[in-house]
Amino acid sequence: TTTTTTTTTFPSAEQPCVTCLAHHSDAGLLIAGFADGAIALYDPRAGGAPRRSGAASAREHDAWIVHVSGGHDDGGAGLGTAGHRQLLSGCLAGEVKLWDVRSLRASLLTIQAQSSTMTNLAAHETAPLLASGSHNQFLKFMARDGRQLNIVRYHEGFLGQRIGPVSAIAFHPTKLLAASGSTDPVVGIYACRV
């Protein structure tokens, strides 16, 4: 039989709920996003002690965090930090931020990805691509610097129906492929050509 046991707990010391989690494999950190727009880094090697900055400027998002991830290449954006030191976050207000995990005092880059509610965000692991989804029924592909590449509003094919509010997005780890799911019963797979 298989058993599961708790090995470590991370007290967040935050009132709002945790909205997303990711593991930053290069830095060995657990990344948490919260409903109040805060981001916290936890180091499992230090017994779960939070590495959350106490400075007010560290909490730059004003809305529910929908995505956190780490270890991305900057895609040639010239940010001066190696990819293994970067953290990406996105919030419900459509704002995407790139951070240096060594210091969360201020973000390195802010992108206003969309003006409508952003329900999901995904970052390609190796290519400089982002994809955001909206409750306004569209999927937006953009470069890591925020430049819009394409917006998908309809499924392909003759009389393609409008996509539903986007609920999930994922990139293939090495190929330029993305999949999205929405409140309709269709999963779309998209080939990205940069």
Side-chain angles (χ1 to χ4, degrees), residues 61-142:
H61 288 292
D62 291 327
W64 184 288
I65 302 294
V66 297
H67 174 86
V68 289
S69 62
H72 302 290
D73 182 6
D74 72 0
L79 299 172
T81 59
H84 65 276
R85 296 185 192 133
Q86 291 183 353
L87 163 72
L88 187 75
S89 63
C91 73
L92 211 56
E95 192 175 65
V96 177
K97 292 186 177 285
L98 186 67
W99 307 81
D100 186 329
V101 296
R102 298 170 297 177
S103 172
L104 291 181
R105 289 192 188 100
S107 59
L108 301 171
L109 177 69
T110 299
I111 300 166
Q112 190 61 43
Q114 57 195 53
S115 57
S116 64
T117 302
M118 183 166 63
T119 55
N120 210 304
L121 176 70
H124 196 282
E125 289 183 26
T126 55
L129 290 174
L130 300 173
S132 66
S134 173
H135 78 293
N136 282 350
Q137 299 175 270
F138 68 84
L139 178 64
K140 182 176 181 180
F141 290 94
M142 63 199 111

Coordinates of all heavy atoms in Angstrom, one line a residue, residues 61-142:
H61 N 1.4 43.7 -6.7 CA 0.1 43.3 -7.3 C -1.0 43.8 -6.3 O -0.8 43.7 -5.1 CB 0.0 41.8 -7.5 CG 0.9 41.3 -8.6 ND1 0.6 41.5 -9.9 CD2 1.9 40.4 -8.5 CE1 1.5 40.9 -10.6 NE2 2.3 40.2 -9.8
D62 N -2.1 44.3 -6.9 CA -3.2 44.7 -6.1 C -4.4 43.7 -6.2 O -5.5 44.0 -5.7 CB -3.7 46.1 -6.5 CG -2.7 47.1 -6.1 OD1 -2.0 47.0 -5.1 OD2 -2.6 48.1 -6.9
A63 N -4.2 42.6 -6.9 CA -5.3 41.7 -7.1 C -4.8 40.2 -6.9 O -3.6 39.9 -6.8 CB -5.8 41.9 -8.5
W64 N -5.8 39.3 -6.8 CA -5.6 37.9 -6.7 C -4.5 37.4 -7.6 O -4.6 37.7 -8.8 CB -6.9 37.3 -7.0 CG -7.1 35.8 -6.9 CD1 -6.6 34.9 -7.7 CD2 -8.0 35.2 -5.9 NE1 -7.1 33.6 -7.3 CE2 -7.9 33.8 -6.2 CE3 -8.8 35.6 -4.9 CZ2 -8.6 32.9 -5.5 CZ3 -9.5 34.7 -4.2 CH2 -9.4 33.3 -4.5
I65 N -3.5 36.7 -7.1 CA -2.5 36.1 -8.0 C -3.0 34.8 -8.6 O -3.5 33.9 -8.0 CB -1.2 35.7 -7.1 CG1 -0.7 37.0 -6.4 CG2 -0.1 35.1 -8.0 CD1 -0.2 38.1 -7.3
V66 N -2.9 34.8 -10.0 CA -3.4 33.6 -10.7 C -2.3 32.7 -11.2 O -2.5 31.6 -11.6 CB -4.3 34.1 -12.0 CG1 -5.5 34.8 -11.5 CG2 -3.5 34.9 -13.0
H67 N -1.0 33.2 -11.1 CA 0.1 32.4 -11.6 C 1.4 32.8 -11.0 O 1.6 34.0 -10.8 CB 0.2 32.6 -13.1 CG 1.4 31.9 -13.7 ND1 1.4 30.6 -14.1 CD2 2.7 32.4 -14.0 CE1 2.6 30.3 -14.6 NE2 3.4 31.3 -14.5
V68 N 2.2 31.9 -10.6 CA 3.6 32.1 -10.2 C 4.4 31.0 -10.8 O 3.9 29.9 -10.9 CB 3.8 32.1 -8.6 CG1 3.2 33.4 -8.0 CG2 3.3 30.9 -8.0
S69 N 5.6 31.3 -11.2 CA 6.5 30.3 -11.8 C 7.9 30.9 -11.7 O 8.1 32.1 -11.5 CB 6.2 29.9 -13.2 OG 6.3 31.0 -14.1
G70 N 8.9 30.0 -11.8 CA 10.3 30.4 -11.7 C 11.2 29.7 -12.6 O 10.9 28.6 -13.1
G71 N 12.4 30.2 -12.7 CA 13.5 29.6 -13.5 C 13.4 29.8 -15.0 O 14.0 29.0 -15.7
H72 N 12.7 30.8 -15.4 CA 12.6 31.1 -16.9 C 13.7 31.9 -17.4 O 14.3 32.7 -16.7 CB 11.3 31.9 -17.2 CG 10.1 31.2 -16.7 ND1 9.6 30.0 -17.3 CD2 9.2 31.4 -15.7 CE1 8.5 29.6 -16.6 NE2 8.3 30.5 -15.7
D73 N 14.1 31.6 -18.7 CA 15.1 32.4 -19.4 C 14.4 33.7 -19.6 O 13.2 33.8 -19.8 CB 15.4 31.7 -20.7 CG 16.4 32.5 -21.5 OD1 17.0 33.4 -21.0 OD2 16.7 32.0 -22.6
D74 N 15.2 34.8 -19.7 CA 14.5 36.1 -19.9 C 14.2 36.4 -21.4 O 13.7 37.4 -21.8 CB 15.4 37.3 -19.3 CG 16.7 37.6 -20.1 OD1 16.9 36.9 -21.1 OD2 17.4 38.5 -19.6
G75 N 14.5 35.4 -22.2 CA 14.2 35.5 -23.6 C 14.9 36.6 -24.4 O 14.4 37.2 -25.3
G76 N 16.1 37.0 -23.9 CA 16.9 38.0 -24.5 C 16.4 39.4 -24.2 O 16.7 40.4 -24.8
A77 N 15.6 39.5 -23.1 CA 15.0 40.8 -22.7 C 16.1 41.7 -22.1 O 15.8 42.9 -21.9 CB 13.9 40.6 -21.7
G78 N 17.3 41.2 -21.9 CA 18.4 42.1 -21.4 C 18.2 42.6 -20.0 O 18.5 43.7 -19.6
L79 N 17.6 41.7 -19.1 CA 17.3 42.2 -17.8 C 18.5 42.0 -16.8 O 18.4 42.5 -15.7 CB 16.1 41.4 -17.2 CG 14.8 41.6 -18.0 CD1 13.8 40.6 -17.5 CD2 14.3 43.0 -17.9
G80 N 19.5 41.4 -17.3 CA 20.7 41.3 -16.5 C 20.7 40.3 -15.4 O 21.6 40.2 -14.6
T81 N 19.7 39.4 -15.4 CA 19.7 38.3 -14.4 C 19.6 37.0 -15.2 O 18.9 36.9 -16.2 CB 18.5 38.4 -13.4 OG1 17.3 38.4 -14.2 CG2 18.6 39.7 -12.6
A82 N 20.2 36.0 -14.6 CA 20.1 34.7 -15.3 C 18.7 34.1 -15.0 O 18.1 34.4 -14.1 CB 21.2 33.8 -14.7
G83 N 18.3 33.3 -16.0 CA 16.9 32.7 -15.9 C 16.6 32.0 -14.6 O 15.5 32.0 -14.1
H84 N 17.7 31.3 -14.1 CA 17.5 30.6 -12.9 C 17.2 31.4 -11.6 O 16.9 30.9 -10.6 CB 18.6 29.6 -12.6 CG 19.9 30.3 -12.3 ND1 20.8 30.7 -13.3 CD2 20.5 30.6 -11.2 CE1 21.8 31.3 -12.8 NE2 21.7 31.2 -11.5
R85 N 17.3 32.7 -11.8 CA 17.1 33.6 -10.7 C 15.8 34.4 -10.8 O 15.5 35.3 -10.1 CB 18.2 34.7 -10.5 CG 19.5 34.0 -10.2 CD 20.6 35.1 -10.0 NE 21.9 34.5 -9.9 CZ 22.9 35.0 -10.6 NH1 22.8 36.0 -11.3 NH2 24.1 34.4 -10.5
Q86 N 15.0 34.1 -11.8 CA 13.8 34.8 -12.1 C 12.5 34.2 -11.7 O 12.4 33.0 -11.6 CB 13.7 35.1 -13.6 CG 14.8 36.1 -14.1 CD 14.7 36.4 -15.5 OE1 13.8 35.9 -16.2 NE2 15.5 37.4 -16.0
L87 N 11.5 35.0 -11.3 CA 10.2 34.6 -10.9 C 9.2 35.4 -11.7 O 9.4 36.6 -11.9 CB 10.1 34.9 -9.4 CG 8.7 34.9 -8.8 CD1 8.1 33.5 -8.7 CD2 8.7 35.6 -7.4
L88 N 8.2 34.7 -12.2 CA 7.1 35.4 -12.9 C 5.8 35.3 -12.1 O 5.5 34.3 -11.6 CB 7.0 34.7 -14.3 CG 6.0 35.4 -15.3 CD1 6.6 36.6 -15.9 CD2 5.7 34.4 -16.4
S89 N 5.1 36.4 -12.1 CA 3.8 36.4 -11.4 C 2.8 37.1 -12.3 O 3.1 38.1 -13.0 CB 3.9 37.0 -10.0 OG 4.3 38.4 -10.1
G90 N 1.5 36.7 -12.1 CA 0.4 37.4 -12.8 C -0.8 37.5 -11.9 O -1.0 36.6 -11.1
C91 N -1.5 38.6 -12.1 CA -2.7 38.7 -11.2 C -4.0 38.9 -12.0 O -3.9 39.2 -13.2 CB -2.5 39.9 -10.2 SG -2.6 41.5 -11.0
L92 N -5.1 38.8 -11.3 CA -6.4 38.9 -11.9 C -6.6 40.2 -12.7 O -7.4 40.3 -13.7 CB -7.5 38.8 -10.8 CG -8.8 38.2 -11.1 CD1 -8.7 36.8 -11.6 CD2 -9.6 38.2 -9.8
A93 N -5.9 41.3 -12.3 CA -6.1 42.6 -13.0 C -5.4 42.7 -14.3 O -5.4 43.7 -15.0 CB -5.5 43.7 -12.0
G94 N -4.7 41.6 -14.7 CA -4.0 41.5 -16.0 C -2.6 42.0 -16.0 O -2.0 42.1 -17.1
E95 N -2.0 42.1 -14.8 CA -0.7 42.6 -14.7 C 0.3 41.4 -14.5 O 0.0 40.5 -13.8 CB -0.6 43.5 -13.5 CG 0.6 44.3 -13.3 CD 0.5 45.2 -12.1 OE1 0.4 44.7 -10.9 OE2 0.5 46.4 -12.3
V96 N 1.4 41.4 -15.3 CA 2.4 40.4 -15.2 C 3.7 41.1 -14.7 O 4.1 42.1 -15.2 CB 2.6 39.7 -16.6 CG1 3.7 38.7 -16.5 CG2 1.3 39.1 -17.0
K97 N 4.4 40.4 -13.8 CA 5.6 41.0 -13.3 C 6.7 40.0 -13.3 O 6.5 38.8 -13.0 CB 5.4 41.5 -11.8 CG 4.5 42.7 -11.8 CD 4.5 43.3 -10.4 CE 3.6 44.5 -10.3 NZ 4.3 45.7 -10.9
L98 N 7.9 40.4 -13.6 CA 9.1 39.6 -13.6 C 10.0 40.1 -12.4 O 10.2 41.3 -12.2 CB 9.9 39.7 -14.9 CG 11.1 38.8 -15.1 CD1 10.7 37.4 -15.2 CD2 11.9 39.2 -16.3
W99 N 10.4 39.1 -11.6 CA 11.2 39.4 -10.3 C 12.5 38.7 -10.3 O 12.7 37.7 -11.0 CB 10.4 38.9 -9.1 CG 9.0 39.4 -9.0 CD1 7.9 38.9 -9.6 CD2 8.5 40.4 -8.2 NE1 6.8 39.5 -9.2 CE2 7.1 40.5 -8.3 CE3 9.1 41.3 -7.3 CZ2 6.3 41.4 -7.7 CZ3 8.3 42.3 -6.6 CH2 6.9 42.3 -6.8
D100 N 13.4 39.2 -9.5 CA 14.7 38.5 -9.2 C 14.4 37.8 -7.8 O 14.1 38.5 -6.9 CB 15.8 39.5 -9.1 CG 17.2 38.9 -8.9 OD1 17.2 37.8 -8.3 OD2 18.2 39.4 -9.3
V101 N 14.5 36.5 -7.8 CA 14.2 35.8 -6.5 C 15.1 36.2 -5.4 O 14.8 36.0 -4.2 CB 14.2 34.3 -6.7 CG1 13.2 33.8 -7.7 CG2 15.6 33.7 -7.1
R102 N 16.3 36.8 -5.7 CA 17.2 37.2 -4.6 C 16.7 38.4 -3.8 O 17.1 38.6 -2.7 CB 18.6 37.4 -5.2 CG 19.2 36.2 -5.8 CD 20.5 36.5 -6.6 NE 20.1 37.5 -7.6 CZ 21.0 38.0 -8.5 NH1 22.3 37.7 -8.3 NH2 20.6 38.8 -9.4
S103 N 15.8 39.1 -4.4 CA 15.3 40.3 -3.8 C 13.9 40.7 -4.4 O 13.8 41.0 -5.5 CB 16.2 41.5 -4.0 OG 15.6 42.7 -3.5
L104 N 12.9 40.6 -3.5 CA 11.6 40.9 -4.0 C 11.2 42.4 -3.6 O 10.0 42.7 -3.6 CB 10.5 40.0 -3.3 CG 10.5 38.5 -3.8 CD1 9.5 37.7 -3.0 CD2 10.4 38.4 -5.3
R105 N 12.2 43.2 -3.5 CA 11.9 44.6 -3.1 C 11.1 45.3 -4.2 O 10.3 46.2 -4.0 CB 13.2 45.3 -2.8 CG 13.7 44.9 -1.5 CD 14.9 45.8 -1.0 NE 15.5 45.2 0.2 CZ 16.6 44.5 0.2 NH1 17.2 44.3 -1.0 NH2 17.1 44.0 1.3
A106 N 11.5 45.1 -5.5 CA 10.9 45.7 -6.6 C 11.0 44.8 -7.8 O 12.0 44.1 -8.0 CB 11.5 47.1 -6.9
S107 N 9.9 44.8 -8.6 CA 9.9 43.9 -9.8 C 10.9 44.5 -10.9 O 11.2 45.7 -10.9 CB 8.5 43.8 -10.4 OG 8.0 45.1 -10.7
L108 N 11.4 43.6 -11.7 CA 12.3 44.1 -12.8 C 11.6 44.6 -14.0 O 12.1 45.4 -14.7 CB 13.2 42.9 -13.2 CG 14.0 42.2 -12.1 CD1 14.6 40.9 -12.7 CD2 15.1 43.2 -11.6
L109 N 10.4 44.0 -14.2 CA 9.6 44.4 -15.4 C 8.1 44.2 -15.1 O 7.8 43.2 -14.4 CB 10.0 43.5 -16.6 CG 9.3 43.6 -17.9 CD1 9.6 44.9 -18.6 CD2 9.6 42.5 -18.8
T110 N 7.3 45.1 -15.5 CA 5.9 45.0 -15.4 C 5.2 45.1 -16.8 O 5.6 46.0 -17.5 CB 5.3 46.1 -14.5 OG1 5.9 46.0 -13.2 CG2 3.8 46.0 -14.3
I111 N 4.3 44.2 -17.1 CA 3.6 44.2 -18.3 C 2.1 44.2 -18.0 O 1.6 43.4 -17.2 CB 3.9 42.9 -19.1 CG1 5.4 42.7 -19.4 CG2 3.1 42.8 -20.4 CD1 5.8 41.3 -19.9
Q112 N 1.4 45.1 -18.7 CA -0.1 45.1 -18.6 C -0.5 44.2 -19.7 O -0.7 44.6 -20.8 CB -0.6 46.5 -18.7 CG -2.1 46.6 -18.4 CD -2.4 46.1 -16.9 OE1 -1.8 46.5 -16.0 NE2 -3.5 45.3 -16.8
A113 N -0.7 42.9 -19.4 CA -1.0 41.9 -20.4 C -2.4 42.1 -21.0 O -2.6 41.8 -22.2 CB -0.9 40.5 -19.8
Q114 N -3.3 42.5 -20.2 CA -4.7 42.7 -20.7 C -5.4 43.6 -19.8 O -5.1 43.7 -18.6 CB -5.4 41.4 -21.0 CG -5.5 40.5 -19.7 CD -5.9 39.1 -20.1 OE1 -5.3 38.5 -20.9 NE2 -6.9 38.6 -19.5
S115 N -6.5 44.3 -20.3 CA -7.3 45.2 -19.5 C -8.5 44.5 -18.9 O -9.0 45.0 -17.9 CB -7.7 46.4 -20.3 OG -8.5 45.9 -21.4
S116 N -8.8 43.3 -19.4 CA -9.9 42.6 -18.8 C -9.4 41.6 -17.8 O -8.2 41.4 -17.6 CB -10.7 41.8 -19.9 OG -9.8 40.8 -20.5
T117 N -10.2 41.0 -17.0 CA -9.8 40.0 -16.0 C -9.0 38.9 -16.6 O -9.4 38.2 -17.5 CB -11.1 39.5 -15.3 OG1 -11.8 40.5 -14.7 CG2 -10.7 38.5 -14.2
M118 N -7.8 38.7 -16.0 CA -6.9 37.6 -16.5 C -7.2 36.4 -15.6 O -7.0 36.4 -14.4 CB -5.5 38.0 -16.4 CG -4.5 36.9 -16.9 SD -2.8 37.5 -17.2 CE -2.3 38.0 -15.5
T119 N -7.7 35.3 -16.2 CA -8.1 34.1 -15.4 C -6.9 33.1 -15.3 O -6.9 32.2 -14.4 CB -9.3 33.4 -16.0 OG1 -9.0 33.1 -17.4 CG2 -10.5 34.3 -15.9
N120 N -6.0 33.2 -16.2 CA -4.9 32.3 -16.2 C -3.7 32.9 -17.0 O -3.8 33.7 -17.8 CB -5.3 30.9 -16.9 CG -4.5 29.8 -16.3 OD1 -3.3 29.8 -16.3 ND2 -5.3 28.8 -15.8
L121 N -2.5 32.4 -16.7 CA -1.2 32.8 -17.3 C -0.3 31.6 -17.4 O -0.3 30.8 -16.5 CB -0.6 33.9 -16.5 CG 0.8 34.4 -16.9 CD1 0.6 35.3 -18.2 CD2 1.4 35.3 -15.8
A122 N 0.4 31.5 -18.5 CA 1.4 30.5 -18.6 C 2.7 31.1 -19.3 O 2.6 32.0 -20.1 CB 0.9 29.3 -19.5
A123 N 3.8 30.5 -18.9 CA 5.1 31.0 -19.5 C 5.8 29.8 -20.1 O 5.9 28.7 -19.4 CB 6.0 31.6 -18.4
H124 N 6.3 29.9 -21.3 CA 7.1 28.8 -21.9 C 8.4 28.6 -21.1 O 9.0 29.6 -20.7 CB 7.3 29.0 -23.4 CG 7.7 27.8 -24.1 ND1 9.0 27.3 -24.1 CD2 7.0 27.0 -24.9 CE1 9.1 26.2 -24.8 NE2 7.9 26.0 -25.3
E125 N 8.8 27.4 -20.9 CA 10.1 27.2 -20.1 C 11.3 27.7 -20.8 O 12.3 28.1 -20.2 CB 10.2 25.7 -19.8 CG 9.2 25.2 -18.8 CD 9.4 23.8 -18.4 OE1 10.5 23.3 -18.5 OE2 8.4 23.2 -18.0
T126 N 11.4 27.6 -22.1 CA 12.6 27.9 -22.8 C 12.5 29.0 -23.9 O 13.4 29.7 -24.2 CB 13.2 26.7 -23.5 OG1 12.2 26.1 -24.4 CG2 13.6 25.6 -22.5
A127 N 11.3 29.2 -24.4 CA 11.1 30.3 -25.4 C 10.5 31.5 -24.7 O 9.9 31.4 -23.7 CB 10.1 29.8 -26.5
P128 N 10.8 32.7 -25.3 CA 10.3 33.9 -24.7 C 8.8 34.2 -25.0 O 8.4 35.2 -25.5 CB 11.2 35.0 -25.3 CG 11.5 34.4 -26.7 CD 11.6 33.0 -26.5
L129 N 8.0 33.3 -24.5 CA 6.5 33.3 -24.8 C 5.7 33.3 -23.5 O 6.0 32.6 -22.6 CB 6.1 32.2 -25.7 CG 6.5 32.1 -27.1 CD1 6.1 30.8 -27.8 CD2 6.0 33.3 -27.9
L130 N 4.6 34.1 -23.5 CA 3.6 34.1 -22.5 C 2.3 33.9 -23.1 O 2.1 34.3 -24.3 CB 3.6 35.4 -21.7 CG 4.9 35.8 -21.0 CD1 4.7 37.3 -20.4 CD2 5.2 34.9 -19.9
A131 N 1.4 33.3 -22.4 CA 0.0 33.2 -22.9 C -0.9 33.6 -21.7 O -0.7 33.1 -20.6 CB -0.3 31.8 -23.4
S132 N -1.9 34.4 -21.9 CA -2.9 34.8 -20.9 C -4.3 34.5 -21.3 O -4.6 34.5 -22.5 CB -2.7 36.2 -20.5 OG -3.1 37.1 -21.5
G133 N -5.1 34.1 -20.4 CA -6.5 33.8 -20.7 C -7.4 34.8 -20.0 O -7.1 35.3 -19.0
S134 N -8.6 35.0 -20.6 CA -9.5 36.0 -20.0 C -10.9 35.4 -19.9 O -11.3 34.5 -20.6 CB -9.6 37.2 -20.9 OG -10.6 38.1 -20.5
H135 N -11.7 35.9 -18.9 CA -13.1 35.5 -18.8 C -13.9 36.1 -20.0 O -15.0 35.8 -20.2 CB -13.6 35.9 -17.4 CG -14.0 37.4 -17.3 ND1 -13.0 38.4 -17.4 CD2 -15.2 38.0 -17.2 CE1 -13.6 39.6 -17.3 NE2 -14.9 39.4 -17.2
N136 N -13.3 37.1 -20.7 CA -13.9 37.7 -21.9 C -13.7 36.9 -23.1 O -13.8 37.4 -24.2 CB -13.4 39.1 -22.1 CG -14.0 40.1 -21.1 OD1 -14.9 39.8 -20.4 ND2 -13.4 41.3 -21.1
Q137 N -13.4 35.6 -23.0 CA -13.4 34.6 -24.0 C -12.3 34.9 -25.1 O -12.5 34.9 -26.3 CB -14.7 34.5 -24.7 CG -15.8 34.1 -23.8 CD -17.2 34.1 -24.4 OE1 -17.9 35.1 -24.4 NE2 -17.5 33.0 -25.0
F138 N -11.1 35.1 -24.6 CA -9.9 35.1 -25.6 C -8.7 34.6 -24.9 O -8.5 34.6 -23.7 CB -9.7 36.5 -26.1 CG -9.3 37.6 -25.2 CD1 -7.9 37.7 -24.9 CD2 -10.2 38.4 -24.6 CE1 -7.5 38.7 -24.0 CE2 -9.7 39.4 -23.7 CZ -8.4 39.5 -23.4
L139 N -7.8 34.2 -25.7 CA -6.4 33.7 -25.3 C -5.4 34.6 -26.0 O -5.5 34.7 -27.3 CB -6.3 32.2 -25.8 CG -5.0 31.5 -25.5 CD1 -4.7 31.4 -24.0 CD2 -5.0 30.1 -26.2
K140 N -4.5 35.2 -25.3 CA -3.6 36.1 -25.8 C -2.2 35.6 -25.7 O -1.7 35.1 -24.7 CB -3.7 37.4 -25.1 CG -2.8 38.5 -25.6 CD -3.0 39.8 -24.8 CE -2.1 40.9 -25.3 NZ -2.4 42.2 -24.5
F141 N -1.4 35.6 -26.9 CA 0.0 35.2 -26.9 C 0.8 36.4 -27.0 O 0.5 37.3 -27.8 CB 0.2 34.2 -28.1 CG -0.4 32.9 -27.9 CD1 -1.7 32.6 -28.5 CD2 0.2 31.9 -27.2 CE1 -2.3 31.4 -28.3 CE2 -0.4 30.6 -27.0 CZ -1.6 30.4 -27.6
M142 N 1.9 36.5 -26.2 CA 2.8 37.6 -26.3 C 4.2 37.2 -26.0 O 4.5 36.1 -25.5 CB 2.3 38.7 -25.2 CG 2.4 38.2 -23.8 SD 1.3 39.3 -22.8 CE 0.1 38.1 -22.3

